[in-house]
Amino acid sequence: MGRSRRTLPEELLLLALDPATGTTAQPQSLDLGLAGAQLVELALAGRIAPDGDRIAVVVPRPTGDPTLDCALELLRRRGAPVRAVHWIGGPRLGLRQTYLSHLERCGMVHAVAGQMCGVLPTTRYQATDNEISREIRARLDSAIRTGVPPDPRTAALAALAHAVGLGKHLYPGNEGRSSRSRLRDLIRHDPMGGLVAHAVMDVQNGAAAQPRRGPAATGRQGAAGARPAVEPARGVPMQPHRGSMARAVAH
């Protein structure tokens, strides 16, 4: 994959980055959104494809993006299609920080050291070129304003932005209510983005802990062969308690 195009995880993170404070909006759900954005980017690159509510690797060839290729390899090692909700809900350590550091290396943000309560060291990130963020935002604004079906990349970005709760950050207050509603509606324009966005929302709502049952299974619980609550990604360290993440990275 060439570097002429920003990836969806990068764009989602730049959308969430507050230019005034250097912090990220919706930090906890944003971590889920970045994992989901990786899936959509891999799908756009032709490496994976949806299989019902699962994700299947169809071309295991690396993309050239180290972070995406790590996710692709983990998916390949599963050996079978994995439910999107289980993949996104699996523990991943520091994905947001990985992308912030990547954006810093690319020169799109710069780190600003500081302290919390005058004691704890913190790092905030300021965009080096706000024009990039404005261009990303303009694509969403155009899709919302015109009602013209957006391209799959913009539709997926809108779906992920809605799923992680960025609507209230991008279009705040009562005056932004209609824009937030239209942002949500853009989810229908990209099947893969819609699948992943719904999986992100399912994880936040705790649905990842419940195996999905078909109509024939309605009313039956504890059936043999039910899947475990969440399938952690193999080879990825367990997520620490949320409180420990408050120290070094932007919120």
Side-chain angles (χ1 to χ4, degrees):
M1 176 182 292
R3 295 302 302 152
S4 60
R5 183 191 292 275
R6 293 180 298 272
T7 65
L8 273 172
E10 293 166 9
E11 292 196 325
L12 183 65
L13 187 52
L14 286 170
L15 266 184
L17 193 63
D18 190 313
T21 66
T23 60
T24 52
Q26 305 298 110
Q28 301 301 331
S29 56
L30 182 60
D31 290 340
L32 302 175
L34 290 173
Q38 287 185 318
L39 293 181
V40 179
E41 190 64 49
L42 287 170
L44 289 170
R47 301 311 197 265
I48 65 174
D51 181 6
D53 67 342
R54 297 173 184 267
I55 302 298
V57 176
V58 293
V59 177
R61 185 177 69 252
T63 66
D65 182 298
T67 309
L68 289 175
D69 288 341
C70 179
L72 179 62
E73 176 61 15
L74 290 172
L75 285 165
R76 187 194 65 80
R77 290 179 188 174
R78 293 295 184 92
V82 58
R83 282 186 64 195
V85 70
H86 285 167
W87 172 261
I88 291 168
R92 284 171 186 80
L93 180 62
L95 189 57
R96 181 164 29 112
Q97 183 59 46
T98 295
Y99 273 105
L100 283 169
S101 298
H102 170 72
L103 291 177
E104 184 182 17
R105 289 193 300 272
C106 292
M108 286 189 274
V109 302
H110 68 274
V112 179
Q115 289 184 328
M116 181 184 297
C117 302
V119 179
L120 296 175
T122 63
T123 304
R124 300 177 185 274
Y125 292 85
Q126 300 286 347
T128 56
D129 184 359
N130 287 326
E131 185 60 32
I132 296 175
S133 297
R134 284 194 289 267
E135 182 272 326
I136 299 170
R137 171 70 180 270
R139 282 164 41 209
L140 293 185
D141 289 346
S142 176
I144 288 173
R145 183 179 64 255
T146 64
V148 175
D151 62 275
R153 180 173 294 273
T154 300
L157 181 62
L160 288 162
H162 166 70
V164 302
L166 287 184
K168 59 186 177 183
H169 167 71
L170 299 171
Y171 308 103
N174 288 333
E175 64 275 16
R177 183 178 300 173
S178 62
S179 293
R180 293 195 299 271
S181 178
R182 295 190 192 103
L183 181 71
R184 179 196 63 217
D185 291 343
L186 291 175
I187 201 170
R188 71 182 186 274
H189 291 294
D190 179 60
M192 183 65 181
L195 168 66
V196 169
H198 280 112
V200 169
M201 291 184 284
D202 283 348
V203 173
Q204 294 179 80
N205 293 330
Q210 299 296 327
R212 185 170 296 183
R213 297 193 299 270
T218 302
R220 296 184 304 187
Q221 298 182 359
R227 292 181 177 269
V230 176
E231 300 171 358
R234 296 175 187 170
V236 181
M238 295 297 290
Q239 185 81 8
H241 292 296
R242 288 180 179 175
S244 65
M245 294 295 289
R247 289 196 296 271
V249 299
H251 297 283

